[in-house]
Structures are given as C-alpha cells and as structure tokens.
Amino acid sequence: MNKLLQLFKDASAFSEDNVGFLEDLYERFLRDPESVDESWREKFRSIQHELTREEPAAERERRVIKAAIGESEAEEMLRKQSAVDRLIYQYRTRGHQSADNNPLKLSPPAALKDLDPAHYELSEDELDRPFYIDILRSPERLPLREILSMLRQTYCGHVGAEYTHIVDSDIKRWIQKRLESTRARGNFSAEEKKWMLKLLTAAEGIEKYLHRKYVGQKRFSLEGAESLIPLLDDLIQRAGEKGTKEIVMGMAHRGRLNVLINILGKKPSSLFQEFEGIYPNAPPYASAGDVKYHMGFSSDIETGGGMVHLALAFNPSHLEIIDPVVEGSVRARQDRREDEDGETAVLPVLIHGDAAFAGQGVVMETLNMAETRAYTTGGTIHVVINNQIGFTTSNPFDARSTLYCTDVANMIQAPVFHVNGDDPEAVLYVTRLALDYRMKFKRDVVIDLICYRRHGHNEADEPAVTQPSMYRFVRNHPPVRKLYADRLIAEGVVTPDVVQHMEEDYQNGLKKDETFLRPIVHDAMSYYKTRWDHYLGTEWTLPCDTGLPQKTIQDLSQRLIGIPPGFALHPRAAAIMESRRKMAAGEIPLDWGYAETLAYASLLTEGYAVRLTGQDVGRGTFFHRHATLYDQDSGDTYIPLQNLSDNQARFYIYDSLLSEEGVLGFEYGYSSSEPDTLVIWEAQFGDFANNAQVVIDQFITSGETKWGRLSGLTMLLPHGYEGQGPEHSSARIERYLQLCAEQNIQVCVPTTPAQIFHLLRRQMLRPYRKPLIIMTPKSLLRHKLATSRLEELSDGCFRNIIGEIDAHDPAKITRVILCTGKVFYDLLETRRKENLHHVAIIRIEQLYPFPYDLFMQELAAYPQMKELIWCQEEPENQGAWHQIKHRFLSLLEKDIVLSYAGRPMSAAPAVGQFHRHLEQQKKVVEDALFGTVPRQEPLGIVHAHRSHRA
C-alpha cells in the first residue's frame, strides 16, 4: 500500500463516511495551510511532497484520488475522473468543430461523439456529481453539469479556439486559462458597446453610400464582414496602449475602401473623386497610377498610449503577394529602432481572404519565415476575412484539402481563433486575446473572421448563379449592424432613436466630407517624407565619386583579414584569407570576392548599413565570398564585416530558407522602407529568380510607376554559360530588359572586380534609388583575366561602357563587336591568339538605362567601321539582342552592317550536354570574330515608337 493511502488509513478520522470531511479539510489546506490543525498540516504537506515526485500524470492522478477516498472506491472514481478528463481534453482539442461560429448556418454545428458524455459512459445520474477540472494543478471540483456548461460556453460558442496543437505547454496553458476563465466572452461597458455599434454603422454606411451613388462600379464591398472595422479599431487602440508606435497593414481588395475611410481616415471626397475618374492625390512620379482598391495610405492616429503611425501597403491584384512585402517593411522599421524594443514598437497586421490564404503558396513561405533569424518580426496578427467563397468556388472539397482555410498556419503552431463575424463582441474578445498573445510570446496568431459576402466577387457579379442556396440565405439575413443594434436595444444600452441618429449622422458626415473616427494627427512628418523626398525626380546620370583612398583600403583590409586568436579556419578558407592579405598589399591582383567585400566594408564605415540575404550568401554559392567564417573545432562563426569599428553601420547577413518569392518580396519591402541600407538579395543561380516573377513584375519594376514607391533593392543573379545545363546558365536577362521603361530599374553586367566594387558603392553614394539588377559571374570569379589592380578601386569609377583594352590602331578597325558579360573574355583570348587587329571589342556594362552619349563616343573612335556585331552567349530569342538592337538602328550610318552572333533560337536557355555546349560556344566566338553574319535589318529603319533614350 502506498504511503499516501497509508497516511489516510492510519488517521483516526478515516472511514468511508468521512471522505467528504477529508476532502473539505484538504481543500481548506490548499487555500490556507494555517486554517487546519497542525497535525493535519504536516500530513498534507507530506502528501504534497509526495506529489512533487517525477512520475506520469495518470499515476499522480491515481495517487490523489486514492489518498482522498481510499482503496475501496478509488478504482471506480479514477475511471470516472479519467472519463471526465478525456471529455475535457476533447472539448479543448475539438470543441471548435462544434462551435456556433458560422453566420450562414447552412448546416448545424457538427455533433461529435467525442464531446458527448455518454461516449465516456458518463450517465445523466452523474451530472450533479463533482469532478476535478484539473486535478494536478487545482483542488477545484465542480458538478459535471457545470463542467459541461463551462466547456460548451468556452469552446462551442461564437468562438472556436484551435490551440492544442501547440507544443509549448506554457503557451497552451496561458491560452486555456484566458479562454476558460472568461468563458470566451468579453466584458464590455455600455460605452464600448455603443462605440462598436457606431463603427458598424460606419462600416455599413460607406458601402450603402457608394452603392447608391456609383451604381455598378467595382468596390469589392466589405458587406457581410463589417465586424472587421471594430476589430481593426480596437487592435490599433490597444496596441498603442501597449507601446506600439507603427502598424503596417497588408490586405487585398476586399473591404479595402472601407478600411481606408473608416480606419485610416482617408477623406471621403478623395475616394468619391476616384470613383469619378479624378485622382487629385496621386503619388508623385506615379505615371501610370493604379485602381483605387489597390492604393496604399498612411496616417497618424491618437491612442491612449500616444500617436500610432498606420501604413496600408500598396497591393496588386495578386492577393497574398503583399504578405512578405509588409513583413520586410516591418523588419526595416524595427531595425531602425535600435535603442528600443522594435518588435513591440512596430506591429505587422495581414488581412487575408479565405480562398487565398489556403490556396497561395506565398502564404506558406511567409509563415515559414516567421521565426527565422533573417525574417522574424516578432509575430504577425493575421486576420482572415472568411466569406466562405473564392470568386465562384465555395465547395471546400474544391477550395482546399484541409478542414479550415487557416490550417496552413498550423505549421508554425500559431493559435487560430475562429469567430462568428455576426457577433462583434466575440470578435473584439478574440482581437484582444490575439494581441495579448502576440505581445507576450512574440509569435504569429490568426483570427478567422467567419462571415459571408453579401454581393458577388464584385458588385456587378451575380453570385446566385453558382451559389443559389448560399445567396438565398444571405438575401434574407440581416446585416451585422442590424443584429447588434437589436441586441443592444434589448439590453437597454441604446434606443431605436439612437440607432437611427447614428446612421443619419454618418451619412450626413460623408456629404460634408467628415467621418467620426479616432483623432487623426495632421502634419506629422513621416519617415518616408523626410528620408525619401530627396531621391524623388533624380537622374541616373548624376555624377558620383566611388573611389576610395588606398590608405583607407589598407586599413579596412587589416580588419577584414584579422581573425580572433585560436580561431581554427578550414584550410581552404585560410588560403583565401592569405590571398586577400596579398591582394591588400598589392602583391597579386584583386579577385571578385575581395573587391565585393571591400565595397561592403567601405559603405559600413561611411554610415550605410548593408543587408545581404540568399540561400548561400555567407560562404557564397561558388565559394568566393566567405563573409561568414566557421571555426572548424567549435563550429562558432566570425563575421569580419561586423567587426570593423565601434561606430560602423550594421551589417546583416543571413543564409535564407529555400525560398525565392517570399524572400525577394521581403527584401523589396525592406528596401522600400529604408533608403540608407544597401539591401541585397542573391539568387543561388540567376534563373531561380523566376520563382519570384510576381515580385519582379508587380513591385520591383512597376512599383514606382503605379504607386510612386521607390526602392534601392539590389539583386545579384549569377549568369553565364559554362555547360551546366538549361537551369544553371541564364538569369533570363531578356525578361528584365523587356520590363525596362521610364528609367524604372538598372540592369548591369559588370565584368571585373573593380566594376562590382564601384557599382555597389554607387548604388548608395549616388542620390538615386532605383532597383539594381546585376548579372554576376560564376567562372569569372577565378578567371585569370577577370582581375583588377588595387589602384582601380582608388582612381576609377563604375564604367557604363568599357571600350577596347588592347593597343589597336583605331583607324584600322573595321569590325566592332558589342557584348556583355563572360563572352568578352572568350572573344578577347581568341582574338589575341589569332592576332586580329581589325576587330575592336566593346563591353556594354550597363544595359539600362542605356548610356547613349558614351556609346556614341566609343563608336566615333572607329571611322573605318563597316560591321557592328552584337555577340551574346544566349539564344537569339533570349539574352539582350532583341531588347537592345533598336538602340543601334537609329544611331548608325546606312552603310554599316549590323549583325548578330550567338546561339540560334531555342526554347530552352542552354543545352544539357557539355560537348554540345563547347561546340556552340566555339561557334559563337568564331562567328563574331571571323564570320560573315547575315545582315539583320536596314539601318535606315528607325522604330519611331522606341526611343534610344527610353
């Protein structure tokens, strides 16, 4: 017999008739040890000591029950208590599946046998029998009837809580306590309830106004999900009270106009003008503009904790692609706040659609980034506007393979609160719970706002064609404002007259260009205005001195090659560091890796932060960078670029997760929020960037012309034909050139270490912020000719065009070859070997913006030129040829032949067999140097629609 049971057996008070007495006595002891006799106190302390032993929970429960009631009833009581425990567990785990949280009520909540007491052989007779709720942590016992009532209220009401998948027990207990202590219900004052009704009136009111005034125009109404407005309002206010200074929001088009007016305080008159085709507040330099439900906005709102800056990000129609962009913007803002808790000060809020949250892969990528070192933002609050339909697809068996549209969030163990959008008080309850969770644990949390869409995908659509049953219900279902107003009238909080006056006041306010929102701070100087204004309207031709004194280079080199004592480098890494020591001393030429490193070091010591991410950036995919060094004994890392001086700018370098779309979106967002940081994303191979084509098309190349948003993002894309096959050769340079217009981006192909040094420095030192696309080398990283002298870093600058480097007589040049990238060295070596003195080779190092004046100067040096050859490694339908030849057609005399030398047209970028690659490469070079290539077009033809300066 165990010690606990023996203790009770030995007590003179023990008998089956006195079980209740002993239980009460023990509970009194737990509440106040001094309230029981000393002899019992000692015995109960002995019991507690015994219970602290490490043993399985089930055994501990068995001990407590036996100690309380004795051996004779222990087994039966244990069986019943175990049944209650399992029932409680199932409510906590699966109660959300039976929650009354769907406003459509097309079917009753699921009846799960796991939530039925009879499933555990608990009969009606036992409903009034007391059981422990949590025997291991609390002495509290309640009748089973009350336990069931508490569980049903907490887990099967208007809130369905999904949290037991979380591994961390402390987090689970925290959520459980918050839910069960409140029965998953908020306690709101009469004033708070009136304010909720006021916000619902505003949410409904703007939609009614637009529906009447602009009949048939798209607005992607929020109707059916109006509770989003009180949700966001409360979130902003409470976040401000907790110390948040900035909130960055991302959302697609559904409800966007409503949020702009009722949350961010956009003037109604501005929105009305946009409906009428007038855009008085279009961003500067946004030459194309965008539709009204894609536009961003920012404002400053007063909260109980001070001013909060709100920013709603500009968003294309590609729905969830805004997610990583917002996260990147938030991380930049957090990093900017070095001396405070950035994760509290800046809060990301992402508003999703149900179909997109389940369907678009960038959601998974963004979630997967949430807790990584490079991309964490201290937790995001996700709000899913779950209107239970995606355009015309509403059948869950078509829309997803999961129970909920939010199940993808389970991968990062985010709690999910499924809440009935028709109950604004339940919505605010989970909003406060979600915010408290995020602030305490700094992790993502999801609010699944279950609602409906009152109209079609847009207001001109007829949804009943494909969802007849759903829209039969919707058209007879009162709006949430009506439901809540009736509820408050029944509670005596408001009268029908008050409800009517609220609606009239809002409609009158719209006519007067007024809304009754939170106080908005006017004339606040935003970071964007103060830090970006001097980059607006600048030209790429601005001069920029990027040279660095040799003394500075020597000083930086000493710090870059200095390794902590006892740090055991890998022999190959040690050899590279020794080579860099010789480069710094001028003993051997500079290679690419060291010139790039010196560029970063110089910027850091001049006050410019550098952020470098990509799948292998620490070492470099091609073993050239070694910005992160590894101790071979301990595994510790050392980053020389973080140890240059005490007052240097910050250097961030992270090997990224295996993602392109999410990561590139993040880096774009970061760069668009921080102009004084050199933000670089490096692809493992250049063609892998096509996994992120949406980011390139919708943000990087068109963000300025659509929204007036600048970015200094730099993309490093390894490119070059070395026989590695179709997927490891081309960075698809033609795609970037096709997107070039209005000086929107820069496309460069540097061919020497000095060129990459000056190009990276120019990107920050020149007061010009446009995305920079760099085709970086692979084999050239160690090519014997692709080196630079130390003096070239001091005396030179980035050269948009590099002319002939050999000493040929310009008057004897009859053939000029234009090229870019690695093929130059193949041409150079073959020409030298064949002693061709009539051929000049010109490298176009900046393809866009095209250096027109410099190009003309180069050609003017060859008065006897008869042939102009464009040579490229890529197939004719790819590469730069078709995107650049129009620049030559309008510049040359009619008696000059313009020809193409390169691979023939191909559906794939490169061949897969190495011997075929060698054959093709040899022919490309021979055609350019020796061949008679067919004339492409008469040079007298000028394409009037394509300017050589565009």
Side-chain angles (χ1 to χ4, degrees), residues 664-815:
L664 185 57
F666 188 101
E667 301 305 341
Y668 171 82
Y670 196 109
S671 69
S672 66
S673 297
E674 186 47 71
D676 294 330
T677 295
L678 177 60
V679 181
I680 301 174
W681 175 74
E682 181 176 57
Q684 192 177 62
F685 285 86
D687 59 319
F688 292 174
N690 61 15
N691 280 318
Q693 197 65 45
V694 175
V695 180
I696 296 165
D697 291 346
Q698 305 302 326
F699 292 97
I700 294 173
T701 61
S702 62
E704 182 182 6
T705 190
K706 290 190 297 187
W707 311 314
R709 305 300 287 180
L710 298 180
S711 164
L713 177 66
T714 297
M715 296 173 61
L716 303 182
L717 306 178
H719 173 86
Y721 282 60
E722 287 108 359
Q724 296 189 64
E727 274 71 59
H728 295 86
S729 298
S730 175
R732 303 279 189 172
I733 192 171
E734 66 278 359
R735 294 184 176 174
Y736 298 94
L737 293 175
Q738 182 189 40
L739 294 168
C740 290
E742 302 178 89
Q743 297 186 18
N744 59 333
I745 61 174
Q746 309 162 82
V747 181
C748 297
V749 193
T751 53
T752 72
Q755 282 287 84
I756 190 63
F757 173 85
H758 291 294
L759 181 56
L760 291 172
R761 283 180 53 77
R762 186 184 77 170
Q763 181 68 353
M764 295 309 295
L765 298 180
R766 184 176 55 175
Y768 183 76
R769 290 294 179 268
K770 299 293 178 75
L772 171 60
I773 316 300
I774 305 178
M775 302 292 144
T776 54
K778 294 175 288 179
S779 62
L780 292 192
L781 296 171
R782 295 171 184 83
H783 196 287
K784 64 181 183 297
L785 295 178
T787 59
S788 298
R789 294 173 291 105
L790 199 60
E791 299 78 46
E792 292 180 73
L793 307 190
S794 300
D795 303 332
C797 62
F798 181 75
R799 301 167 66 186
N800 296 317
I801 292 179
I802 300 179
E804 176 59 58
I805 62 172
D806 286 349
H808 294 302
D809 183 355
K812 296 180 179 180
I813 298 297
T814 59
R815 174 176 287 202

Side-chain angles (χ1 to χ4, degrees), residues 152 164 188 201 248 283 314 429 478 535 759 763 769 810 849 884 904:
R152 288 166 181 162
T164 56
F188 299 100
T201 302
V248 184
F314 294 84
Y429 172 82
Y535 297 114
L759 181 56
Q763 181 68 353
R769 290 294 179 268
I884 201 171

Side-chain angles (χ1 to χ4, degrees), residues 159 174-175 178-179 231 234-235 238-239 242 347-349 378-383 414-419 426-448:
V159 176
W174 184 89
I175 297 173
R178 284 288 299 265
L179 290 168
L231 184 160
D234 197 70
L235 179 64
R238 289 180 64 82
K242 291 177 180 293
L347 174 67
V349 176
T380 299
I381 295 180
H382 300 269
V383 180
V416 181
F417 302 109
H418 309 275
V419 61
V427 171
L428 257 63
Y429 172 82
V430 299
T431 301
R432 295 178 180 185
L433 175 58
L435 179 63
D436 290 347
Y437 173 87
R438 188 272 178 188
M439 291 301 191
K440 181 175 179 63
F441 297 107
K442 297 296 193 290
R443 298 179 64 174
D444 286 38
V445 58
V446 180
I447 299 172
D448 180 16

